[in-house]
């Protein structure tokens, strides 16, 4: 059943709720949304609250890949590779409008690279089994250059191609929010948790809910729940300290940045994978929404800002490394957008390794008061993380044991066959907005692929409340061209104000705030 997705509806459902919720999930990123969809699809009364916007943090700042992880194969973490390859196949089946197959090429410049990486990728094929996307292949020098015409030809011997998955991370998050509503759950954005509710007890009592504040009105509400799940990613330790101020941190967050370039730097349909950079990471140059995304770095993150910023050293690292593989060397002025994200890497006792070596496995921690924290992991395995969390949390809360349904649950808007629109089966209804009001068919900006109708749709159906919500996550304008998105901000603010009932002063403030934010994305 498809339900409307407005914030007003969600707040009304919250106020009308009788008795405690079964699940209260804190955090509207990949992990929180996956957990909430899992709980609601099992028939538990589920509420998800997000302090800012869905996928505001790390979940909108990934390398845009759904993959088993060639790097994890190099590390020998076969269990994580197997799990991720399985989940990749599940997502391709359940969200064909958002996840698709992409060819990757590993260029070979030394005589040993082709056989060495080719053998590793054959193992990757084997581990994927029946969920594989196609066999890896050795390519001649001519075939490699035909696939990636701007690849540096000097010294090139050939390459190895393999298949993996690509997606739009923030759009998948919004789709999961809509799926949560379809399954009978409730989700609300812009409602930060300010404290946890506890029952009386000698040792502080058991967690029985939370107090949230409406960021738009300042009103506070108490929410009671049988179990509370902390799924706040890199901020998980902050929520754990609301439960127990003396809690030892379990995370060692790292920062990864990406640069977005014009497609002319890599006009082919395949991505480039460089399997070993100077600091031991892999480097990707991935075609995405008519641009090329280059990433990523891996540096310890001391500042857990919601808007992490790339350092000059990180930018220089990526520009230097990708220039080695392209005939046209990108300069800082060529960067259309630079975005950074924080990885919630789990620190195990006694671990002092650099962040690039820390595990990407997920971890579930249950505090003495019953707060369930799920952290670590990555987008590819979000569904499995949610399944594991709900199974443990339901038992902790004494809820009826119910089997998981999400492995075969098609996500909101999933068409029978893959199409060109991230809106899936909602695309026709979106197009209908422009039929009724032709001005909504106009582009928001000549350098961006988005139309005014998408702003109206985001406000009416996807809980968009701010210019940033629209330009960063309902569309991907901020990442595709930060300067163009700043220029489009006044039109977006006007359309949102019409839909949400805000005045001219709100429009002006929104444009000012968004342009301040967008400046942090150009270098």
């Amino acid at each position: 059943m498809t339900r409307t997705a407005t914030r007003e509806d969600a707040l009304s459902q919250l106020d009308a709720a009788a008795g405690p919720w079964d699940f209260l999930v804190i955090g509207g990123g990949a992990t929180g949304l996956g957990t909430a969809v899992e709980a609601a699809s099992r028939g538990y009364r589920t509420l998800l609250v997000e302090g800012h916007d869905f996928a505001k943090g790390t979940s909108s700042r990934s390398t845009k890949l759904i993959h088993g992880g060639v790097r994890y194969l190099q590390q020998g973490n076969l269990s994580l590779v197997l799990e991720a390859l399985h989940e990749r196949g599940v997502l391709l089946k359940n969200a064909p409008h958002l996840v698709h197959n992409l060819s990757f090429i590993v260029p070979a410049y030394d005589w040993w690279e082709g056989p060495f990486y080719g053998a590793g990728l054959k193992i990757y094929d084997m581990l994927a089994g029946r969920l594989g996307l196609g066999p890896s292949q050795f390519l001649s020098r001519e075939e490699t250059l035909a696939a990636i015409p701007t690849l540096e030809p000097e010294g090139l011997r050939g390459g190895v191609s393999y298949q993996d998955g690509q997606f739009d991370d923030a759009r998948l998050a919004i789709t999961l929010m809509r799926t949560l509503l379809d399954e009978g759950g409730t989700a609300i954005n812009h409602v930060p948790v300010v404290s946890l509710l506890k029952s009386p007890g000698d040792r502080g009592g058991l967690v029985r809910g939370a107090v949230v504040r409406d960021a738009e009105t300042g009103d506070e509400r108490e929410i009671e729940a049988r179990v509370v799940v902390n799924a706040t990613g890199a901020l998980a330790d902050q929520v754990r300290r609301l439960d127990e101020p003396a809690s030892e941190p379990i995370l060692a967050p790292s920062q990864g940045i990406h640069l977005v370039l014009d497609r002319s730097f890599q006009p082919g349909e395949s991505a480039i994978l460089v399997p070993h950079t100077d600091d031991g990471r892999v480097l990707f140059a991935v075609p995405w929404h008519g641009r090329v995304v280059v990433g990523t770095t891996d540096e310890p993150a001391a500042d857990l800002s919601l808007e992490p910023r790339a350092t000059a050293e990180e930018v220089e690292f990526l520009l230097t490394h990708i220039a080695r593989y392209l005939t046209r060397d990108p300069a800082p002025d060529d960067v259309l957008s630079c975005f950074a994200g924080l990885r919630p890497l789990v620190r195990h006792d006694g671990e002092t390794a650099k962040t690039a070596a820390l595990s990407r496995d997920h971890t579930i921690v249950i505090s003495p008061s019953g707060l369930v924290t799920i952290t670590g992991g990555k987008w590819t395995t979000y569904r499995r993380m949610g399944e594991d969390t709900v199974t443990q949390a339901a038992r902790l809360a004494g809820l009826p044991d119910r089997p998981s349904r999400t492995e075969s649950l098609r996500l909101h808007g999933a068409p029978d066959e893959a199409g060109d629109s991230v809106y899936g089966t909602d695309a026709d209804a979106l197009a209908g907005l422009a039929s009724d009001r032709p001005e909504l068919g106009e582009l928001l900006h000549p350098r961006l692929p988005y139309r005014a109708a998408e702003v109206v749709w985001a406000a009416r159906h996807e809980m968009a409340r701010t210019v940033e919500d629209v330009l960063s996550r309902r569309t991907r304008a901020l990442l595709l061209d930060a300067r163009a998105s700043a220029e489009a901000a006044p039109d977006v603010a006007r359309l949102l104000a019409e839909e949400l009932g805000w005045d001219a002063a709100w429009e002006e403030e929104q444009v000012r705030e968004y342009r301040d934010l967008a400046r942090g994305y150009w270098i």
Side-chain angles (χ1 to χ4, degrees), residues 197-208 243 367-371:
L197 295 175
K198 290 193 173 184
S199 59
D202 294 337
R203 301 183 62 185
L206 299 178
V207 172
R208 61 177 181 85
D243 173 37
S367 75
S369 66
L371 177 68

Side-chain angles (χ1 to χ4, degrees), residues 164-324:
D164 234 324
Q166 184 180 46
F167 78 136
D168 186 318
D169 47 12
R171 287 304 313 177
L172 180 54
I174 300 305
T175 297
L176 285 170
M177 181 271 289
R178 297 293 306 273
T179 305
L180 171 60
L181 304 191
D182 293 346
E183 293 298 313
T186 300
I188 311 175
N189 55 353
H190 300 288
V191 282
V193 169
V194 296
S195 63
L196 297 177
L197 295 175
K198 290 193 173 184
S199 59
D202 294 337
R203 301 183 62 185
L206 299 178
V207 172
R208 61 177 181 85
V211 177
V212 302
R213 177 183 298 123
D214 188 331
E216 294 185 0
T217 65
D219 294 340
E220 293 190 355
R221 292 172 170 85
E222 290 190 356
I223 301 170
E224 294 195 354
R226 300 185 190 282
V227 65
V228 177
V229 177
N230 169 20
T232 52
L235 304 180
D237 282 331
Q238 294 183 11
V239 176
R240 292 177 63 244
R241 284 192 285 272
L242 293 178
D243 173 37
E244 175 48 64
S247 293
E248 289 292 325
I250 60 173
L251 296 180
S254 76
Q255 174 165 295
I257 78 158
H258 296 81
L259 307 179
V260 180
L261 305 173
D262 185 79
R263 189 64 185 275
S264 60
F265 283 91
Q266 186 185 329
E269 296 302 317
S270 297
I272 299 173
L273 166 64
V274 178
H276 194 81
T277 62
D278 290 347
D279 69 346
R281 283 195 58 78
V282 297
L283 178 71
F284 291 101
V286 182
W288 186 71
H289 289 330
R291 307 289 196 270
V292 179
V293 177
V294 177
T296 179
T297 57
D298 197 328
E299 297 294 333
D303 180 15
L304 301 185
S305 168
L306 281 169
E307 282 293 336
R309 293 286 179 251
T311 65
E313 292 76 14
E314 288 175 304
V315 172
E316 178 64 22
F317 176 88
L318 289 185
L319 289 174
T320 299
H321 275 76
I322 198 60
R324 297 174 185 174

Side-chain angles (χ1 to χ4, degrees), residues 83-157:
E83 179 179 87
L85 287 170
H86 176 81
E87 293 301 319
R88 181 189 70 179
V90 170
L91 257 175
L92 281 161
K93 177 183 65 176
N94 290 338
H97 52 319
L98 295 167
V99 185
H100 64 271
N101 190 3
L102 181 67
S103 172
F104 290 73
I105 291 178
V106 183
Y109 288 90
D110 287 316
W111 66 267
W112 57 269
E113 289 182 315
F116 180 79
Y117 294 122
L121 290 168
K122 287 300 179 185
I123 296 174
Y124 197 62
D125 294 343
M126 179 186 68
L127 293 174
R130 62 183 178 83
L131 292 176
L133 306 180
S136 57
Q137 296 179 326
F138 291 98
L139 303 177
S140 67
R141 183 179 187 276
E142 292 71 22
E143 290 171 327
T144 303
L145 289 173
I148 306 178
T150 53
L151 193 64
E152 176 58 61
E154 185 176 351
L156 182 68
R157 294 172 177 267

Side-chain angles (χ1 to χ4, degrees), residues 73-90:
L73 183 63
Q74 288 179 327
Q75 295 173 342
N77 193 342
L78 296 186
S79 62
L80 180 57
V81 174
L82 281 167
E83 179 179 87
L85 287 170
H86 176 81
E87 293 301 319
R88 181 189 70 179
V90 170

Side-chain angles (χ1 to χ4, degrees), residues 233-234 236-237 240-241 247-254 300-302 304 343-355 357-363 365 375-377:
D237 282 331
R240 292 177 63 244
R241 284 192 285 272
S247 293
E248 289 292 325
I250 60 173
L251 296 180
S254 76
L304 301 185
R343 303 180 188 89
L345 305 181
V346 178
R347 181 205 314 271
H348 297 288
D349 290 343
E351 213 164 32
T352 59
K354 63 179 181 178
T355 55
L358 294 181
S359 173
R360 268 60 175 172
D361 290 334
H362 64 271
T363 297
V365 177
T375 194

Side-chain angles (χ1 to χ4, degrees), residues 80 83-84 87 362 377-386:
L80 180 57
E83 179 179 87
E87 293 301 319
H362 64 271
K378 55 180 185 163
W379 248 121
T380 304
T381 56
Y382 87 89
R383 188 206 65 83
R384 181 58 185 272
M385 294 167 67

